Amino acid sequence: MEHYHYIFTGSGLSALMTVYRMVISGNFQDKKILLIDADTKKTNDRTWCYWEQGKGEWDNILYKTWQSAIFSNEKFSRTMPLFPYEYKMIKGIDFYQFVFSKLEQSSNISFLNSTVTGYKDEGTHVTVNTSAGNYSCDKLFTSIYNPENAARGNFPVLQQHFTGWFIKTETAAFNDNAVTFMDFSVKQKGNTRFMYVLPVSPDTALVEYTLFSEKLLKKKEYEEAIREYLEERGIDNYTVTEKESGSIPMTVYQFWKSNTRNILHIGSAGGWTKASTGYTFKNTDRLSQRLVLFLEKNDDLSLFYKKNRFWYYDLLLLDILYKTNWKGSQIFSSMFRKGSPALLFKFLDEQTALKEDIQVILKCPKGVFLKALLRRLTGL
């Protein structure tokens, strides 16, 4: 059984970013590292977006940036300057190619294109079973999401599920200076539903139909909604050049309780996705940096977790959306109608001081949040 210092089961965003940071730190050159995934990451399977102040570490692989964002519902539309933030977009394939080109220069890193069938903490080491054979390691980092884990305890589990079309129109149809952050003018049908539009040029955009809800839709429902949205805006002569779809778990389940001294859950399997929004890239960026610094000084992976006040904010929002899923439009509209975009993005990034938190919270519908808080406090 071949032995490694570190094995990563899954080579998605969290694993690749963590190993990338291990490499650029220069402090893990003597450690054998294995990444295992059934997917070779050779296709553009997803798009990541995030907001950031000024220049950032990933700017060299950005596909597009915006300085303004549009928020809409059935009653109003607001175009918001984002300064001092920019909204940034990275295509999955560009990220994969950049990171793999760096990792392939390190002789201590290996890749295995295989399916993980199981793993176990043996106390002194971890065994990992795959369709290609068995391996062992000192520490295992797994990003394999188990829905059964998230369903445990008194925590709601929603999905941010979506289908997106990259379209090219015959004539100019988009304002590529502003991203449509959320457009709740679409029919809600008892859920939280919105359109998300990333215009990369006047005739090219990613148009994505997104829901925050418990259950997924049939494929044709997502696509019919996109088609209807475009038709309502007079966009009918277009070609669909790419499609993407996905489902991101939205939960504040305490994933760290499944960690052991030698096994750490990362990515969505470790709660690295921002529970209230589904945003992943920036959270993963921060947590991968913190994890690498942790590994340089600590040996017990069960100590790597941190719960803060934002965890409780997310819990209340998910409680509300789980019990009254149609209230998402009302909640987000109250935040974005007159609120400072910079403060809202800072809050969603979990970078605000408590005084700033209160400014944001006071713009939300107070009744629904007070009821959710009361239910949590009383257990009813």
Side-chain angles (χ1 to χ4, degrees):
M1 188 181 298
E2 190 168 0
H3 186 80
Y4 291 84
H5 292 97
Y6 303 120
I7 290 181
F8 290 77
T9 55
S11 61
L13 177 65
S14 58
L16 290 176
M17 196 173 275
T18 300
V19 177
Y20 170 79
R21 296 206 174 282
M22 294 170 88
V23 169
I24 63 176
S25 75
N27 296 322
F28 297 86
Q29 295 173 340
D30 61 338
K31 306 295 185 183
K32 286 181 63 179
I33 301 171
L34 176 65
L35 292 104
I36 306 172
D37 201 310
D39 189 342
T40 58
K41 304 299 179 185
K42 300 292 187 183
T43 61
N44 186 51
D45 58 352
R46 67 198 63 223
T47 302
W48 289 295
C49 288
Y50 58 100
W51 47 88
E52 187 172 45
Q53 294 190 46
K55 294 189 178 297
E57 182 177 5
W58 305 99
D59 281 8
N60 289 340
I61 58 171
L62 292 177
Y63 192 74
K64 175 72 175 176
T65 63
W66 296 269
Q67 285 71 48
S68 298
I70 300 168
F71 181 94
S72 301
N73 65 17
E74 72 283 2
K75 295 181 179 179
F76 79 94
S77 181
R78 181 188 180 194
T79 300
M80 308 172 293
L82 301 179
F83 183 82
Y85 290 93
E86 284 187 310
Y87 199 73
K88 302 183 176 183
M89 172 185 179
I90 292 178
K91 297 186 77 171
I93 190 64
D94 295 330
F95 174 80
Y96 300 143
Q97 290 176 350
F98 173 79
V99 172
F100 276 115
S101 67
K102 184 71 174 179
L103 302 189
E104 288 167 355
Q105 298 174 27
S106 300
S107 59
N108 61 313
I109 299 175
S110 302
F111 306 91
L112 177 65
N113 186 212
S114 183
T115 300
V116 175
T117 57
Y119 54 81
K120 183 180 180 182
D121 189 340
E122 306 285 1
T124 58
H125 65 281
V126 181
T127 55
V128 181
N129 312 114
T130 79
S131 56
N134 301 326
Y135 302 84
S136 65
C137 60
D138 296 332
K139 306 293 179 185
L140 173 71
F141 304 89
T142 180
S143 54
I144 299 174
Y145 178 74
N146 183 351
E148 293 181 2
N149 282 345
R152 295 174 184 168
N154 186 24
F155 301 110
V157 181
L158 298 176
Q159 300 292 324
Q160 180 189 138
H161 48 111
F162 56 88
T163 288
W165 285 358
F166 283 91
I167 68 170
K168 186 171 181 59
T169 59
E170 294 185 1
T171 58
F174 303 102
N175 171 16
D176 63 335
N177 294 315
V179 56
T180 298
F181 187 62
M182 287 178 160
D183 185 348
F184 282 103
S185 65
V186 298
K187 296 175 182 177
Q188 297 298 286
K189 300 181 181 181
N191 300 126
T192 293
R193 305 182 181 215
F194 59 92
M195 284 292 179
Y196 176 54
V197 184
L198 300 171
V200 297
S201 71
D203 62 356
T204 307
L206 169 60
V207 182
E208 200 160 86
Y209 185 52
T210 306
L211 291 83
F212 294 170
S213 67
E214 185 179 6
K215 299 185 183 301
L216 306 188
L217 305 180
K218 294 180 179 179
K219 180 181 177 180
K220 67 177 183 178
E221 293 185 66
Y222 300 98
E223 300 203 330
E224 286 174 358
I226 296 173
R227 191 176 294 110
E228 181 179 328
Y229 184 78
L230 293 171
E231 288 176 356
E232 288 176 351
R233 283 147 187 79
I235 303 172
D236 49 15
N237 293 319
Y238 59 86
T239 302
V240 180
T241 59
E242 289 183 56
K243 294 182 179 182
E244 68 173 33
S245 61
S247 180
I248 302 169
M250 302 173 69
T251 177
V252 291
Y253 172 75
Q254 300 173 38
F255 289 95
W256 59 82
K257 292 189 174 181
S258 298
N259 296 336
T260 69
R261 183 178 185 86
N262 300 318
I263 298 176
L264 181 71
H265 294 75
I266 62 175
S268 293
W272 286 25
T273 297
K274 175 66 173 170
S276 58
T277 63
Y279 276 87
T280 301
F281 192 89
K282 202 62 181 176
N283 255 22
T284 301
D285 195 9
R286 283 194 293 267
L287 286 166
S288 63
Q289 292 184 57
R290 187 158 70 87
L291 177 55
V292 170
L293 292 174
F294 176 89
L295 292 174
E296 292 173 356
K297 300 177 181 179
N298 298 274
D299 188 57
D300 186 351
L301 296 182
S302 68
L303 301 177
F304 183 78
Y305 72 90
K306 182 180 179 182
K307 183 167 71 172
N308 56 28
R309 66 185 185 278
F310 295 96
W311 181 90
Y312 293 98
Y313 302 157
D314 288 349
L315 171 62
L316 292 180
L317 177 62
L318 292 182
D319 275 348
I320 293 167
L321 295 183
Y322 188 74
K323 292 180 178 297
T324 54
N325 194 231
W326 61 89
K327 289 189 175 179
S329 176
Q330 177 191 357
I331 292 169
F332 286 103
S333 294
S334 66
M335 294 171 65
F336 281 94
R337 181 185 294 273
K338 295 181 180 179
S340 162
L343 179 59
L344 289 172
F345 281 140
K346 187 178 180 182
F347 175 77
L348 294 173
D349 246 353
E350 302 187 359
Q351 299 298 307
T352 44
L354 181 58
K355 181 179 179 181
E356 294 172 309
D357 295 353
I358 294 172
Q359 293 178 46
V360 174
I361 292 168
L362 287 176
K363 293 189 180 299
C364 297
K366 299 173 184 60
V368 292
F369 277 92
L370 287 173
K371 287 180 181 178
L373 177 59
L374 183 61
R375 283 196 299 267
R376 278 289 165 182
L377 293 175
T378 61
L380 299 177

